[in-house]
């Protein structure tokens, strides 16, 4: 008999007992300490360490509701999905995800590598740190995890088995509501609009039926296009980073969906980083260094994704029609169009919706935040409405910079 024979939500003292009993990475009788270190919206993250040695692990447990609000009742099976996707990530994109040591179906928790020598990328970006290898790392991660789980490469019956295994209805519903619907109509009354921009939002967002039509088309794509095993929440809060290394975490939203959902999230979150630097860095040289890096990285992410995708295609494709001349380019163009659409959706949902990002909310000066939000949203409108024309990194950057030029500093 063990207290871990049936599920309960653990406190740090329970996690110490759990680590002693269930985790084989500490010496017998070792003195262990534990702290809850999570600040995400959904789960509980515990760090357990042995003060006398270098040994430590992270234990992530899923609760029956989202940490941010009991209104989100969620199956704890999301922890299985997360653990399995991280293990698959280790095979598809070695070194770009943390190692998983154990998954516990009863306690809905997984034990994984402690990445305390890394920082959450969003926090580092708000401090205007730069990461020259990020574009290379994240594009390798995306091309490998997306292309190699698609019908282009996988045996089709195996792929359909994966669609079934990673069906993730509750987490998908969060995205369908928070990303694809509510920013454009606030139909659940959960939006949280920065008051000085409310009138602008009423006019340019809630008042725009053509925008809602395009958001609706993208939503049906998200719900029906089982293209690849996507991460499903690939923003800069789901990335641990240090200058020489990048680790993608938190794939609990994973399911078979459109590739552009992951790529578009990266694009939008780099734009938030750029907008924060543009709004808060008073010194022009410092602004140029940070925003220049963010702009260059945005361009490199799109261009390196394109190049690596087209290179990997003939090396890995097994589907007979994937060999038809032009199919690779046609397929990639559709991913790029989705990338633009999703980048726009992510911009609106993080500025108007329930779950904001600190890159924007930490802009203390009211006028600077109003301007930053409008720059992002004006670009987002074009990403969504004109998504078919976005093909290169320069296409994305030009739209952002044009939007900035249309909103001069006061
Ligand atoms: C209720 S969850 C809100 C958001 O947090 C997660 O990280 C996802 O981005 C989700 O949309
Ligand atoms: Mg998360």
């Amino acid at each position: 008999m063990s207290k871990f024979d049936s599920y309960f939500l653990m406190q740090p003292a329970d996690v110490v007992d759990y680590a002693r009993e269930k985790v084989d990475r500490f010496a017998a009788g070792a003195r262990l300490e534990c702290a809850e270190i999570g600040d995400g919206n959904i789960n509980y993250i515990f760090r357990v360490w042995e003060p006398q040695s270098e040994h430590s692990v992270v234990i992530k447990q899923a609760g029956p509701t989202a940490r941010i609000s009991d209104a989100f009742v969620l199956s704890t099976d999301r922890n299985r999905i997360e653990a399995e996707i991280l293990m698959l990530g280790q095979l598809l994109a070695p070194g770009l995800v943390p190692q998983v040591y154990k998954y516990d179906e009863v306690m809905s928790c997984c034990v994984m590598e402690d990445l305390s020598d890394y920082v959450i990328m969003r926090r580092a970006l708000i401090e205007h740190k730069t990461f020259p290898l990020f574009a290379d790392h994240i594009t390798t991660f995306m091309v490998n995890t997306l292309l190699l789980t698609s019908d282009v490469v996988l045996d089709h019956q195996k792929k359909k088995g994966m669609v079934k295994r990673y069906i993730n209805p509750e987490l998908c519903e969060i995205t369908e509501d928070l990303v694809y619907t509510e920013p454009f109509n606030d139909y659940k009354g959960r939006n949280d609009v920065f008051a000085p921009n409310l009138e602008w939002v009423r006019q340019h967002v809630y008042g725009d039926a053509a925008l809602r039509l395009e958001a609706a088309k993208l939503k049906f794509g998200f719900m029906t296009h089982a293209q690849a095993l996507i991460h499903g929440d690939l923003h800069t809060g789901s990335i641990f980073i240090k200058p020489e290394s990048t680790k993608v975490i938190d794939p609990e939203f994973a399911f078979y969906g459109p590739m552009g959902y992951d790529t578009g999230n990266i694009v939008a979150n780099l734009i938030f980083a750029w907008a924060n630097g543009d709004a808060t860095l008073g010194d022009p040289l410092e602004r140029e260094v940070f925003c220049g890096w963010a702009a260059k990285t945005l361009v490199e992410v799109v261009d390196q994704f394109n190049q690596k995708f087209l290179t990997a295609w003939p090396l890995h494709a097994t589907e007979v029609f994937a060999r038809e001349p032009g199919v690779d380019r046609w397929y990639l163009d559709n991913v790029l169009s989705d990338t633009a659409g999703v980048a726009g959706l992510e911009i609106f949902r993080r500025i108007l919706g329930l779950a904001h990002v600190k890159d924007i909310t930490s802009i203390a000066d009211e006028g600077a935040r109003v301007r930053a939000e409008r720059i992002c949203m004006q670009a987002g409108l074009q990403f969504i409405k004109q998504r078919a024309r976005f093909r290169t990194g320069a296409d994305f950057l030009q739209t952002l910079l044009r939007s900035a030029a249309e909103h001069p500093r006061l």
Side-chain angles (χ1 to χ4, degrees):
M1 276 290 282
S2 154
K3 79 172 178 180
F4 305 108
D5 283 347
S6 56
Y7 174 84
F8 68 97
L9 202 51
M10 294 189 282
Q11 296 299 315
D14 304 312
V15 178
V16 167
D17 293 342
Y18 183 89
R20 282 211 183 91
E21 187 180 324
K22 300 279 187 181
V23 180
D24 62 5
R25 301 191 74 84
F26 300 105
R31 187 168 73 81
L32 300 182
E33 295 193 13
C34 174
E36 207 277 321
I37 55 167
D39 67 353
N41 295 325
I42 308 211
N43 299 295
Y44 300 88
I45 321 279
F46 302 92
R47 177 168 186 262
V48 185
W49 71 98
E50 185 182 357
Q52 283 175 328
S53 73
E54 299 285 292
H55 296 148
S56 58
V57 296
V58 160
I59 299 182
K60 177 167 183 177
Q61 189 180 32
T65 59
R67 182 184 180 130
I68 191 179
S69 158
D70 285 346
F72 295 96
V73 177
L74 304 170
S75 161
T76 51
D77 184 52
R78 66 187 186 276
N79 194 264
R80 172 193 62 85
I81 292 181
E82 170 156 7
E84 290 187 8
I85 299 294
L86 285 176
M87 289 189 260
L88 182 62
Q90 204 53 262
L91 298 175
L92 297 175
L96 293 169
V97 296
Q99 246 191 292
V100 174
Y101 304 136
K102 175 190 176 78
Y103 164 63
D104 183 330
E105 188 183 355
V106 174
M107 292 302 292
S108 293
C109 70
C110 58
V111 183
M112 61 182 115
E113 185 181 358
D114 177 22
L115 297 172
S116 294
D117 52 333
Y118 290 67
V119 285
I120 286 290
M121 187 174 181
R122 189 184 307 287
R123 285 189 210 145
L125 295 178
I126 290 171
E127 290 170 11
H128 307 121
K129 303 220 164 79
T130 60
F131 298 94
L133 300 179
F134 174 69
D136 181 31
H137 292 164
I138 202 67
T139 51
T140 297
F141 174 84
M142 292 193 294
V143 169
N144 290 10
T145 57
L146 299 175
L147 188 59
L148 302 187
T149 59
S150 73
D151 283 304
V152 176
V153 173
L154 275 191
D155 168 79
H156 298 182
Q157 291 202 19
K158 183 170 180 202
K159 183 253 182 174
K160 286 179 174 65
M162 306 250 294
V163 172
K164 193 168 155 190
R165 186 165 184 84
Y166 298 112
I167 199 86
N168 198 348
E170 291 154 354
L171 282 282
C172 283
E173 188 178 47
I174 291 180
T175 304
E176 288 154 18
D177 275 342
L178 293 188
V179 180
Y180 284 86
T181 314
E182 294 177 39
F184 307 99
N185 61 12
D186 199 18
Y187 88 109
K188 288 195 173 173
R190 299 194 292 202
N191 280 1
D192 177 12
V193 181
F194 187 47
N197 263 337
L198 190 53
E199 221 17 74
W200 192 96
V201 170
R202 284 200 182 115
Q203 195 184 332
H204 293 91
V205 184
Y206 298 157
D208 189 340
L211 177 63
R212 277 198 303 282
L213 174 61
E214 296 312 315
K217 292 178 193 171
L218 287 161
K219 180 177 179 180
F220 285 113
F222 180 80
M223 292 190 294
T224 58
H225 195 182
Q227 188 175 30
L229 188 49
I230 67 171
H231 177 284
D233 199 23
L234 192 51
H235 54 83
T236 50
S238 296
I239 295 170
F240 266 119
I241 198 158
K242 57 184 179 180
E244 68 279 17
S245 176
T246 303
K247 303 269 187 190
V248 174
I249 59 167
D250 266 8
E252 68 202 315
F253 280 78
F255 82 113
Y256 261 85
M259 295 180 180
Y261 193 75
D262 282 356
T263 49
N265 262 278
I266 291 293
V267 165
N269 281 274
L270 284 170
I271 288 175
F272 294 141
W274 179 94
N276 178 285
D278 183 63
T280 64
L281 288 169
D283 177 69
L285 187 60
E286 282 180 25
R287 190 161 66 228
E288 177 48 35
V289 170
F290 180 74
C291 292
W293 171 81
K296 178 169 171 277
T297 302
L298 169 61
V299 171
E300 286 175 354
V301 162
V302 177
D303 292 348
Q304 289 185 23
F305 179 83
N306 290 350
Q307 179 256 313
K308 291 180 188 180
F309 191 93
L310 292 174
T311 303
W313 184 287
L315 298 177
H316 297 284
T318 60
E319 156 61 40
V320 62
F321 264 144
R323 308 246 165 231
E324 286 297 316
V327 168
D328 53 353
R329 189 67 241 185
W330 163 82
Y331 193 106
L332 176 59
D333 284 350
N334 282 313
V335 174
L336 289 164
S337 171
D338 280 348
T339 302
V342 170
L345 296 167
E346 173 74 359
I347 284 173
F348 283 106
R349 77 92 161 216
R350 294 295 191 184
I351 290 176
L352 308 179
L354 177 90
H356 286 213
V357 284
K358 286 222 170 75
D359 317 51
I360 300 297
T361 57
S362 65
I363 301 171
D365 180 84
E366 181 179 295
R369 177 166 166 188
V370 165
R371 176 173 175 268
E373 289 192 352
R374 290 186 193 179
I375 290 171
C376 292
M377 288 192 285
Q378 187 66 42
L381 279 171
Q382 292 173 53
F383 293 155
I384 292 174
K385 287 182 166 178
Q386 301 172 19
R387 58 191 176 280
R389 78 170 175 80
F390 289 89
R391 294 282 179 268
T392 67
D395 293 337
F396 284 89
L397 182 61
Q398 272 166 17
T399 295
L400 174 64
L401 296 182
R402 244 182 248 134
S403 179
E406 283 165 20
H407 295 89
R409 284 174 211 284
L410 298 174

